Amino acid sequence: MANLLSYVLFLVLRTYAAPPEYIQVWPGGSTPAPGDVDNETVTPSLVPPPGTSKHKPHSIIIGVRKGGTRALLEMLDIHPEVAAAATEVHFFDWDENYAKGFEWYREQMPYSYPNQITVEKTPGYFTSPVAPARIHAMNSSIRLLLILRDPTERVISDYTQVYFNRLENHKPVQAIENMLVKNGALNTRYKAIQRSLYDVHMRNWLQHFPLEQIHIVDGDTLIHDPLPELQRVERFLDLPPRIVASNFYFNQTKGFYCIRSDGHERCLHESKGRPHPPVNSTVLRQLRLYLRQHNRNFYRLIGRTFNWQ
């Protein structure tokens, strides 16, 4: 009897010490020895906290790539009534995932309590020609979040991410000017430039959703003063105001705001906020000139302007 009571007490303590997302129960009921956790043959089953379940998203951060989607999700996750998906699911923009069906999609979501909304983010949705119609087919009244930054800076940030990814994988890299210019002219077919044509992609979304269902977050403002942008998102999602100024602190070393929540502090991954490479001034001027008309078209579409160069 004493052994049984000890085992029950052990299970209770382990349950309450587990992360809120799930409780790990190991095969056989025993905790693995140190070093065994990384062994692929030792796999815990995940038991959801009582009273939780998985739901398809109530809101989706649809983009844009290198616009600040990760920062937005991490900051929104401060809110106690938000359950954020941990990874980018790529359900609506990748055919192989979409073919798996909505039930598969729901299973990729986090466990949430009845008072929480589920939020997913996949930046590739915004520039996908098929994502708007597919999301509309799932939920025509869903609320969409779109975070944008200066499109020229976004192009350079896009290049920077690919540049470092290729370096880490020991692949050859090219100077940014070689990507931006082809045969002496601006390479408008360069994917990074195509992703910054906000007006082109927005027209596709507005064919399926009214503008009132798409809340646009100013990514440049979010970096320098996150609270007002997060408060606007709370109102858009009908969330009670819970995010406050003390949830953010400026990290002098990293050069951007980090998060303080539940007694813990965390910053975005070191891959975020990497310094941009210098760009030839003539090439940069060509890029800005090309994007300027697209920016004006975008302003007319949404009835709003931004301080983009």
Side-chain angles (χ1 to χ4, degrees):
M1 177 64 71
N3 288 339
L4 177 60
L5 290 173
S6 297
Y7 181 68
V8 170
L9 179 60
F10 166 73
L11 287 179
V12 170
L13 289 173
R14 186 171 64 183
T15 297
Y16 282 96
E21 172 69 330
Y22 56 76
I23 301 165
Q24 289 191 346
V25 179
W26 294 89
S30 61
T31 302
D36 286 347
V37 175
D38 292 332
N39 188 330
E40 292 182 2
T41 63
V42 181
T43 305
S45 60
L46 305 183
V47 180
T52 65
S53 56
K54 292 187 176 184
H55 301 273
K56 287 180 286 188
H58 302 82
S59 180
I60 300 177
I61 300 174
I62 59 174
V64 62
R65 169 180 160 127
K66 307 311 299 176
T69 58
R70 173 52 60 182
L72 176 59
L73 186 70
E74 292 280 350
M75 291 175 178
L76 190 56
D77 196 33
I78 295 170
H79 201 291
E81 295 184 19
V82 169
T87 59
E88 296 175 7
V89 184
H90 286 283
F91 179 66
F92 298 103
D93 59 335
W94 289 3
D95 292 344
E96 60 269 32
N97 283 346
Y98 192 68
K100 296 174 184 177
F102 287 120
E103 183 58 26
W104 177 88
Y105 181 53
R106 187 183 67 82
E107 282 299 316
Q108 311 312 305
M109 297 300 113
Y111 288 103
S112 61
Y113 290 96
N115 67 320
Q116 291 181 309
I117 65 168
T118 300
V119 179
E120 187 242 317
K121 79 104 175 169
T122 299
Y125 292 161
F126 181 58
T127 57
S128 165
V130 297
R134 289 174 173 180
I135 293 176
H136 187 273
M138 178 189 72
N139 181 359
S140 61
S141 61
I142 194 168
R143 300 188 185 191
L144 305 171
L145 295 170
L146 172 63
I147 180 167
L148 301 173
R149 63 189 293 199
D150 184 310
T152 301
E153 292 299 316
R154 199 220 63 81
V155 170
I156 300 171
S157 184
D158 200 324
Y159 163 84
T160 303
Q161 175 174 287
V162 174
Y163 176 87
F164 279 102
N165 286 346
R166 293 184 69 85
L167 280 183
E168 290 166 4
N169 290 291
H170 308 289
K171 293 181 178 180
V173 295
Q174 294 189 57
I176 188 170
E177 289 82 2
N178 293 341
M179 304 298 293
L180 292 173
V181 176
K182 188 173 184 180
N183 298 325
L186 190 70
N187 182 15
T188 58
R189 298 181 65 85
Y190 178 33
K191 287 184 179 180
I193 294 179
Q194 288 287 312
R195 294 187 187 107
S196 279
L197 305 183
Y198 299 158
D199 59 323
V200 174
H201 307 300
M202 194 66 177
R203 284 193 191 96
N204 191 22
W205 284 92
L206 292 177
Q207 288 179 8
H208 301 276
F209 294 96
L211 186 60
E212 293 72 26
Q213 278 178 239
I214 307 174
H215 178 74
I216 300 174
V217 178
D218 187 332
D220 297 308
T221 300
L222 186 75
I223 293 172
H224 300 105
D225 189 14
L227 182 59
E229 288 296 325
L230 269 297
Q231 290 174 330
R232 293 184 188 100
V233 173
E234 283 180 323
R235 290 193 291 270
F236 175 71
L237 297 178
D238 287 333
L239 291 169
R242 295 289 182 272
I243 302 175
V244 294
S246 59
N247 288 133
F248 309 102
Y249 68 97
F250 189 78
N251 186 303
Q252 295 288 349
T253 304
K254 293 181 174 291
F256 52 77
Y257 278 90
C258 294
I259 298 168
R260 184 185 291 117
S261 178
D262 298 326
H264 301 285
E265 296 181 353
R266 67 182 188 275
C267 291
L268 297 180
H269 189 267
E270 61 183 13
S271 64
K272 306 299 181 181
R274 283 171 169 159
H276 289 174
V279 185
N280 176 277
S281 59
T282 301
V283 174
L284 189 60
R285 189 161 50 250
Q286 283 182 285
L287 178 60
R288 290 195 190 282
L289 186 62
Y290 174 73
L291 291 173
R292 190 166 296 156
Q293 187 57 53
H294 286 280
N295 295 344
R296 290 169 180 161
N297 294 342
F298 180 70
Y299 298 158
R300 284 193 289 270
L301 277 176
I302 64 169
R304 176 183 172 187
T305 61
F306 292 85
N307 294 320
W308 298 335
Q309 295 186 40

